[in-house]
Amino acid sequence: MPLPLLALAIAAFGIGTTEFVIMGLLPNVARDLAVSIPAAGMLVSGYALGVTIGAPILAIVTAKMPRKKALMGLIGVFIVGNLLCAIAPGYWVLMGARIVTAFCHGAFFGIGSVVAADLVAPNRRAQAIALMFTGLTLANVLGVPLGTALGQAAGWRATFWVVTLIGLLAAAALQVCLPKHIEMRETSILREFDVLKNPQVLMVLGISVLASASLFSVFTYITPILEDVTGFSPHAVTLVLLLFGLGLTVGSTLGGKLADWKVLRSLLSFLLAIVVILTIFAATMHSAVPAMVTIFLWGVLAFAIVPPLQILIVNRASDAPNLASTLNQGAFNLGNATGAWLGGMAIGAGAPLESLPWVGVTMACGAFGLTLLSASLERRARRSAIGQAAWER
């Protein structure tokens, strides 16, 4: 892996760990801070909303900054936010610290994706983005299970202290490995926001929201599901999360390769498969081995959609790639917040944990339908352009 992509992947590992590890620690945080599981689940929504709100704000703030300086500043916000999480005395301070941490997320992945894509040949751009996002998948393979195990053994605060140290390591790697001068496309930030007038860009953002909501309506509550429905011990839950993370790693690589081949076709296939696998999980969650197999396959599909969506937004917003890529991260996390909220609402209304996969199925069906519409409109626009060119001849 090229060193600049490795540095970006290390940062992605830290950011992914702090985002996802809270799900493995949900019961621990709830007990320690004397709040309910749905209230603790709102820490997921709070982080996600922080990304959604912070993405456009920091896109404006960093628009004219050199790319390396912007990435260094964003990782600095990450370090401070996790330090505040580690020392938070109560629920609302922890919520605020999570939101502070989240502010760097969207802009870092947005700018980082464009930098990664620009460092390689045009026919390898999706794979370069997938390599950066390998850090995010490894966060689920290693960071979340190990962070969960550490939190269960030494208290959840210990996990955030370690993530703070990972942030410092990432900052050092970025400083050493990233080129001093990274090419920037000269543009006005106000002109970049014109990209939101493009319905195809808005549809990609909508797909990202729905696909992410499909994942987090279930995954936010995966620890209670595995403990209370499947019957796993807390130690066994850590191993299942490791299995899920391995699936994410496979999926990210697979998604990157297929996105460089056929973006929309691969995206449609993955979304349809998510509908199928969540339907199956509604039945297999009651038995240990079938649940583990289903969770692994779910992990593969959950991150296989990320490279296609990220390269799709960069391609469709070629005049404003940094802003569009950053807003897509905000869209993913709006979906995270929406999914966690929908799952919490279902539980709060008295629905059993076993019903949560059906919430995910509904969201995935919406993402599939919107992708079909986008593909149809793109084909129609292409035919129209070909017809217009032929008529002008």
Side-chain angles (χ1 to χ4, degrees):
M1 182 185 293
L3 287 179
L5 293 181
L6 177 62
L8 291 168
I10 292 171
F13 175 82
I15 294 171
T17 299
T18 204
E19 178 179 17
F20 296 125
V21 77
I22 193 72
M23 296 167 211
L25 298 173
L26 222 56
N28 308 71
V29 173
R31 282 193 299 269
D32 187 48
L33 300 181
V35 297
S36 67
I37 289 290
M42 291 305 293
L43 292 167
V44 177
S45 295
Y47 183 98
L49 288 174
V51 178
T52 305
I53 295 167
I57 293 173
L58 287 179
I60 295 171
V61 170
T62 61
K64 296 294 185 181
M65 291 174 64
R67 299 298 82 185
K68 183 173 182 176
K69 183 178 179 181
L71 291 170
M72 291 298 297
L74 292 167
I75 203 67
V77 173
F78 169 82
I79 292 167
V80 171
N82 278 286
L83 180 61
L84 291 173
C85 287
I87 63 176
Y91 176 79
W92 289 109
V93 176
L94 179 59
M95 177 68 82
R98 292 278 294 169
I99 292 171
V100 168
T101 308
F103 260 57
C104 78
H105 182 123
F108 189 93
F109 279 109
I111 295 170
S113 294
V114 176
V115 169
D118 286 347
L119 288 172
V120 298
N123 66 332
R124 297 182 62 85
R125 297 175 79 213
Q127 291 181 62
I129 292 173
L131 282 174
M132 175 187 167
F133 276 87
T134 297
L136 198 58
T137 59
L138 286 176
N140 286 277
V141 174
L142 299 174
V144 172
L146 293 178
T148 299
L150 176 62
Q152 291 170 348
W156 59 269
R157 296 177 191 278
T159 300
F160 285 104
W161 280 113
V162 171
V163 173
T164 302
L165 293 177
I166 294 172
L168 291 170
L169 175 63
L174 291 169
Q175 179 61 39
V176 171
C177 298
L178 284 183
K180 186 175 294 185
H181 301 292
I182 300 173
E183 183 180 352
M184 292 176 60
R185 297 179 178 91
E186 290 297 326
T187 185
S188 161
I189 188 63
L190 293 177
R191 192 159 61 248
E192 285 209 6
F193 272 100
D194 284 344
V195 76
L196 295 178
K197 297 176 183 177
N198 182 345
Q200 285 285 16
V201 170
L202 294 178
M203 276 190 279
V204 176
L205 295 176
I207 295 164
S208 295
V209 170
L210 291 169
S212 187
S214 170
L215 170 62
F216 280 86
S217 60
V218 186
F219 191 64
T220 300
Y221 305 96
I222 195 65
T223 299
I225 288 172
L226 293 175
E227 290 182 359
D228 300 340
V229 178
T230 316
F232 283 114
S233 67
H235 175 69
V237 168
T238 300
L239 297 178
V240 177
L241 290 176
L242 174 62
L243 189 64
F244 182 80
L246 287 171
L248 296 180
T249 304
V250 173
S252 180
T253 304
L254 177 66
K257 289 183 180 299
L258 291 181
D260 278 328
W261 171 61
K262 295 284 186 181
V263 176
L264 281 171
R265 185 176 298 178
S266 61
L267 183 57
L268 282 167
S269 300
F270 292 142
L271 288 170
L272 184 59
I274 288 171
V275 172
V276 173
I277 206 68
L278 284 175
T279 301
I280 293 172
F281 185 51
T284 60
M285 69 166 66
H286 298 279
S287 303
V289 174
M292 291 170 68
V293 172
T294 311
I295 284 171
F296 172 76
L297 294 174
W298 181 32
V300 172
L301 296 168
F303 258 41
I305 64 172
V306 174
L309 282 169
Q310 199 68 9
I311 198 65
L312 194 59
I313 196 77
V314 170
N315 289 343
R316 287 186 171 174
S318 56
D319 292 335
N322 289 301
L323 176 65
S325 184
T326 297
L327 290 178
N328 199 41
Q329 291 302 310
F332 276 126
N333 281 272
L334 179 58
N336 295 3
T338 302
W341 177 77
L342 287 172
M345 287 289 287
I347 295 169
L353 290 167
E354 292 93 324
S355 68
L356 292 182
W358 297 110
V359 181
V361 165
T362 303
M363 296 295 103
C365 284
F368 180 78
L370 193 55
T371 307
L372 273 179
L373 176 61
S374 176
S376 174
L377 292 176
E378 186 177 76
R379 282 195 300 270
R380 190 180 303 170
R382 193 180 299 127
R383 289 195 200 102
S384 176
I386 292 171
Q388 181 69 23
W391 184 83
E392 288 176 355
R393 287 200 199 101

